[in-house]
Amino acid sequence: MNQPVPLPSTQAPARIGQGTAVEQSRAAAEVQAAVVVAQQCPRNIQAAVAEMRESCKQQGLAERAFFRYSRGGSTVTGASVHLARELARVWGNVQYGLVEMRRDDEYGQSEMQAFAWDVQTNSRNSSTFIVPHRRDTKQGVKQLTDMRDIYENNANNGARRVREAIFAILPPWFVEEAKELCNQTLRDGGGKPLAQRIADAIKTFEGIGITADRIEARLDRPSAKWTEHDVAQLIVIYKSIQRGEVTAEEEFPAPRVSADELTGGKTPKPAATPTE
């Protein structure tokens, strides 16, 4: 007769530290206080919209408001976690975060939870997911063992879930207006003339080894014909390269050199066949 296989124990730890106990009590009290404050001081939607519009006019926020990365041979773009956090702040009565629920060093993974909660309306969105302690590199998959590398890997993977959780509880019209205003701020360029912004963009990219001709090839037109939209797109690309979301080579591939260019357009003569 087969004996039933015992399941692993799911009991809580028999002992927790004093700091953990204090933090648990503090977190519970904080949640209760947040609900009370939200009911006593409900958000002023008109004030929140006005503050959102003012924030999205700032060049610093607009330049961080969008991300882009390559996946499956195509480019994915969208609103960033930086914009999500700012919108949660101005909307008010919103709590969000990322929690490492469990770390399993034996299997090399962390169980994470990202959440966002509108404590005034009790609208909540959360997702639980597994983050492997691995990182893709050009040399292949690298296993992470350093504590700082694991923390940064968890934070980077979790940021995307936090962003989606925040956007899930905010009104769509609020988010869409913010995105459009940030795009407009990028196109305006802080009031600088377009010619100066083009020159600044070329100089900025030269600092990371991208020449003007590679940018022109990417946009399929010379710099003299770049538009405000082109410069705004370049700002988003540059910020994404800085954050490591894409590489310069992915966005601005080096031009291929043809055989004619290597030989100067001349066909090499075949070597003479020795005679006997």
Side-chain angles (χ1 to χ4, degrees):
M1 182 176 178
N2 294 331
Q3 296 294 327
V5 178
L7 296 175
S9 173
T10 57
Q11 288 183 338
R15 176 183 177 276
I16 61 173
Q18 182 178 4
T20 301
V22 171
E23 177 61 21
Q24 289 175 343
S25 299
R26 183 205 62 79
E30 186 179 85
V31 169
Q32 294 176 352
V35 173
V36 172
V37 170
Q39 297 302 319
Q40 294 179 346
C41 305
R43 70 176 57 90
N44 183 324
I45 295 180
Q46 288 73 25
V49 171
E51 189 169 359
M52 175 270 289
R53 290 171 177 170
E54 186 62 30
S55 292
C56 293
K57 291 179 182 178
Q58 307 308 312
Q59 192 74 16
L61 174 62
E63 290 179 354
R64 305 175 68 196
F66 303 99
F67 68 86
R68 61 187 289 125
Y69 62 88
S70 298
R71 183 175 64 189
S74 61
T75 301
V76 180
T77 62
S80 70
V81 68
H82 305 290
L83 179 60
R85 288 167 177 161
E86 177 63 11
L87 295 185
R89 183 190 70 83
V90 301
W91 187 244
N93 290 335
V94 172
Q95 293 193 351
Y96 61 87
L98 178 68
V99 180
E100 184 180 41
M101 303 175 67
R102 181 173 181 268
R103 177 176 298 185
D104 193 330
D105 292 325
E106 180 181 356
Y107 287 93
Q109 62 186 25
S110 293
E111 184 176 356
M112 311 288 293
Q113 183 181 76
F115 71 91
W117 179 29
D118 186 331
V119 295
Q120 179 176 323
T121 63
N122 200 29
S123 173
R124 181 180 173 88
N125 181 278
S126 66
S127 62
T128 303
F129 52 97
I130 300 295
V131 179
H133 299 166
R134 297 193 298 269
R135 180 180 295 152
D136 292 327
T137 67
K138 293 182 178 179
Q139 292 74 35
V141 178
K142 175 186 177 183
Q143 191 71 28
L144 303 179
T145 56
D146 183 79
M147 299 298 289
R148 180 173 179 177
D149 289 341
I150 293 174
Y151 163 77
E152 291 177 350
N153 185 61
N154 288 346
N156 290 337
N157 280 275
R160 293 191 288 271
R161 274 78 170 191
V162 171
R163 177 192 70 212
E164 295 307 315
I166 293 174
F167 286 146
I169 66 168
L170 292 177
W173 60 265
F174 188 73
V175 176
E176 291 303 317
E177 182 175 347
K179 288 159 60 175
E180 178 55 37
L181 288 173
C182 286
N183 271 316
Q184 183 61 48
T185 300
L186 289 176
R187 291 192 292 267
D188 293 342
K192 290 183 181 179
L194 179 58
Q196 181 181 347
R197 286 152 54 197
I198 291 174
D200 290 344
I202 292 174
K203 183 177 180 181
T204 298
F205 276 97
E206 286 177 346
I208 58 174
I210 304 299
T211 57
D213 58 330
R214 290 174 66 179
I215 304 176
E216 290 174 340
R218 170 72 167 74
L219 298 177
D220 198 25
R221 49 186 165 273
S223 60
K225 295 186 177 181
W226 292 355
T227 65
E228 291 89 349
H229 177 77
D230 294 329
V231 178
Q233 182 183 18
L234 290 175
I235 292 174
V236 175
I237 292 173
Y238 179 74
K239 292 295 182 180
S240 295
I241 292 174
Q242 279 191 318
R243 293 192 293 264
E245 296 166 349
V246 294
T247 65
E249 290 72 22
E250 289 173 336
E251 292 290 342
F252 305 96
R256 295 180 179 273
V257 180
S258 66
D260 287 343
E261 291 173 326
L262 288 174
T263 60
K266 299 178 180 179
T267 303
K269 295 180 179 180
T273 303
T275 57
E276 295 182 356

